[in-house]
Amino acid sequence: DEFPVGSIVHVRKGRFYISRLDEGVLAMWHRCTHLGCTVPWRDDEGRFHCPCHGGIYNKKGEVLAGPPPRPLDLFPVEIVDGEIVVDTSRVITRDRFDPSQATPV
Ligand code: FES
């Protein structure tokens, strides 16, 4: 319930964002896939906007503009007793968004 559909929550300590989609939950590493800058979520723009070279990503982590070569990387997510558990020891790279990447809640 803390993560309504459409919400983006930055978990700084874990270095990721929780993005709540219709399909479920994504945990996206906040590291730009271009050259590694931390990518802020911009509420005013409704998208992620990397300050370094202008990379733009949507809520699914897909690249909308700029030099990033692939979507934001993911960390595996499990739902345990109603809690979101993110394994930040394992990075999942992807070429594009697929609904199967979201963990249903
Ligand atoms: Fe993000 Fe270059 S490091 S666009």
Side-chain angles (χ1 to χ4, degrees):
D1 295 346
E2 286 174 45
F3 302 93
V5 171
S7 63
I8 300 284
V9 175
H10 196 185
V11 182
R12 277 173 223 281
K13 225 170 138 186
R15 301 170 298 130
F16 61 85
Y17 289 96
I18 293 290
S19 177
R20 174 71 159 93
L21 307 173
D22 285 326
E23 297 90 343
V25 168
L26 293 179
M28 299 191 291
W29 193 3
H30 67 197
R31 182 180 186 279
C32 187
T33 59
H34 180 221
L35 292 178
C37 291
T38 298
V39 184
W41 168 255
R42 295 281 303 266
D43 258 331
D44 55 335
E45 297 181 20
R47 55 195 191 167
F48 298 95
H49 191 155
C50 183
C52 293
H53 314 98
I56 306 282
Y57 304 86
N58 66 14
K59 288 182 175 179
K60 297 171 179 171
E62 295 170 305
V63 180
L64 301 180
R70 63 176 190 278
L72 291 170
D73 296 332
L74 302 176
F75 293 125
V77 172
E78 269 187 303
I79 307 297
V80 180
D81 296 332
E83 305 255 308
I84 298 171
V85 178
V86 178
D87 176 3
T88 56
S89 69
R90 195 155 65 84
V91 179
I92 302 166
T93 60
R94 53 189 176 146
D95 295 328
R96 59 186 179 82
F97 172 74
D98 184 275
S100 67
Q101 293 161 356
T103 301
V105 292

